[in-house]
Amino acid sequence: MILLSLLPGGVLRLWDVLENGYWHARSLSYTATPLARHVEWLRIWGDSIFILFGVVPLVIGLLLAYRDLWRRQALGADSTRPAIGSHTP
């Protein structure tokens, strides 16, 4: 992600800031250039890895916890299985 996204995009934008000013590097005249668009599309690889190994497991864990919460509510308060994080002596 750093090699394909943050480093080249940041270096190119910094170069443009030094040559033309901050206003130009944030404008459409810079972001619409073919080089800037190409660097932007290179981000897909790093972002995909982040989504696949970061966000998807988090969403699966949240869904499993939510399902367990509903299952516990359906069983009622007299369930023999203690709740997660409960401190029973």
Side-chain angles (χ1 to χ4, degrees), residues 48-64:
S48 298
I49 291 170
F50 177 75
I51 290 169
L52 186 64
F53 294 111
V55 175
V56 171
L58 181 65
V59 169
I60 290 171
L62 288 172
L63 290 175
L64 290 174

Side-chain angles (χ1 to χ4, degrees), residues 14-58:
L14 176 65
W15 188 268
D16 193 58
V17 165
L18 295 175
E19 284 186 357
N20 302 313
Y22 183 73
W23 61 272
H24 186 266
R26 300 294 295 169
S27 69
L28 188 60
S29 60
Y30 169 75
T31 57
T33 60
L35 183 60
R37 296 305 251 170
H38 183 71
V39 169
E40 184 179 332
W41 276 102
L42 285 176
R43 290 187 59 172
I44 194 81
W45 300 107
D47 293 348
S48 298
I49 291 170
F50 177 75
I51 290 169
L52 186 64
F53 294 111
V55 175
V56 171
L58 181 65

